[in-house]
Amino acid sequence: MDREQLAAFLRSRRAKVLPADVGIDGGARRRTPGLRREEVARLAGISVDYYARLEQARGPRPSRQVLGALGRALRLLDDERTYLFQVAGEQPALPAGPSPHVSAGILHLLDRLDDTPAFVIDAKYELLAWNPMAVALMGDPAAVMPGSRNMIWNLFTGPADLTAPETSQFADECVADLRAASVRYPGDPGIQSLIARLRSAAPEFTRRWDEHQVCVRRTTTKRLDHPVHGELVFDCEVLDIADAGQKVIFYTAEAGSHSAWVLCSLRQRPAYAD
């Protein structure tokens, strides 16, 4: 625990929170625009003396519960909250599960990629967002019920030939990635429910699951059988959004290849199988 750094950080964050931000009447006699110590203490549910000693670098090491309460009281961003925990000698608690909400920035990125198929999945391979090029290449997920958009479920319970070498390798990677996610988010009911359903419905999943392979999916090669353009080969790039438990998947093709030509034609005429 670095008491001096903790004290300085608390003072600086307190000065940046306006009373109105937390529903407090600021009044007309404040010497500084930020919160008073007693206001932070009240919002965090701790004593004023205890909080004052933290800001004076002479307090005891705060518990994880106190740090969490201070983070909420001071309206800390995720990175600031992580720093607060670390400077106090603690590791921030992991999120309980992957977020189902795609940030506005990622959605904007998808929209800007008008020549690259891209989509967002969470840690259990639930399809959360996609761009028009992904629709042109693979069909429109919006035409499928939300409960039927899980890529691992569809892989193991759908018509895919799991004996084909590349499909089998992809299945291996997905199961190993899901196992890693199950450890990262041990209390997430969505992940546990998916695993239970797959073990009940898909022997090929169960066989792989019982092998206890663990990995996190990264860049790989993906082959697709397009109904009009035949076999296509893409480099599958993965952008990990660790704090949300999500991945952005991009499909790119080698310059001058048939697959690159298909992407160009789909961009000009974005209709799946048209």
Side-chain angles (χ1 to χ4, degrees):
M1 173 179 173
D2 189 328
R3 284 180 169 79
E4 294 292 340
Q5 290 290 341
L6 175 61
F9 182 67
L10 290 174
R11 292 194 300 268
S12 70
R13 295 307 93 186
R14 176 168 62 86
K16 291 183 177 297
V17 181
L18 300 178
D21 293 340
V22 292
I24 295 175
D25 182 4
R29 296 185 179 181
R30 287 180 180 262
R31 291 177 294 179
T32 59
L35 297 177
R36 298 185 175 113
R37 285 177 176 172
E38 57 268 27
E39 291 168 340
V40 174
R42 184 169 70 251
L43 290 169
I46 59 179
S47 73
V48 177
D49 177 67
Y50 178 75
Y51 180 73
R53 283 186 288 144
L54 289 177
E55 281 203 2
Q56 294 164 358
R58 60 185 183 88
R61 179 175 176 173
S63 67
R64 297 176 65 86
Q65 290 78 12
V66 168
L67 291 170
L70 287 173
R72 292 187 293 272
L74 295 170
R75 298 294 181 92
L76 298 185
L77 301 175
D78 288 344
D79 289 343
E80 293 173 328
R81 181 180 179 277
T82 297
Y83 178 81
L84 172 67
F85 272 73
Q86 291 175 339
V87 80
E90 292 279 357
Q91 288 299 316
L94 292 173
S99 173
H101 306 294
V102 181
S103 72
I106 295 298
L107 291 175
H108 180 65
L109 172 63
L110 293 184
D111 289 339
R112 293 294 298 273
L113 292 170
D114 62 352
D115 62 350
T116 303
F119 53 92
V120 180
I121 59 174
D122 67 10
K124 60 182 181 295
Y125 282 66
E126 198 73 26
L127 187 59
L128 302 179
W130 52 90
N131 68 357
M133 280 295 289
V135 173
L137 180 64
M138 296 177 284
D140 190 358
V144 180
M145 294 294 291
S148 302
R149 296 176 188 166
N150 186 276
M151 295 176 66
I152 293 184
W153 175 263
N154 292 336
L155 173 66
F156 282 99
T157 63
D161 180 8
L162 294 174
T163 63
E166 289 195 356
T167 305
S168 179
Q169 180 180 348
F170 177 65
D172 290 343
E173 293 172 353
C174 289
V175 174
D177 195 18
L178 182 62
R179 179 172 283 282
S182 71
V183 175
R184 192 180 317 125
Y185 305 111
D188 182 71
I191 292 177
Q192 299 306 319
S193 173
L194 175 63
I195 293 169
R197 289 167 56 217
L198 282 165
R199 287 181 64 87
S200 175
E204 279 298 312
F205 172 85
T206 301
R207 179 180 66 78
R208 289 173 169 84
W209 184 260
D210 290 342
E211 291 175 353
H212 292 269
Q213 298 296 320
V214 178
C215 77
V216 176
R217 280 194 64 211
R218 295 180 175 88
T219 301
T220 186
T221 299
K222 180 73 173 179
R223 296 180 185 271
L224 294 178
D225 186 14
H226 194 275
V228 173
H229 301 290
E231 183 180 85
L232 305 175
V233 181
F234 298 103
D235 292 324
C236 181
E237 306 289 342
V238 180
L239 172 63
D240 189 31
I241 312 174
D243 58 343
Q246 298 171 355
K247 294 182 177 71
V248 186
I249 314 296
F250 308 91
Y251 282 4
T252 62
E254 182 181 355
S257 67
H258 171 63
S259 299
W261 177 86
V262 169
L263 288 184
C264 183
S265 67
L266 290 176
R267 181 187 182 190
Q268 297 171 355
R269 191 184 182 193
Y272 180 68
D274 188 5

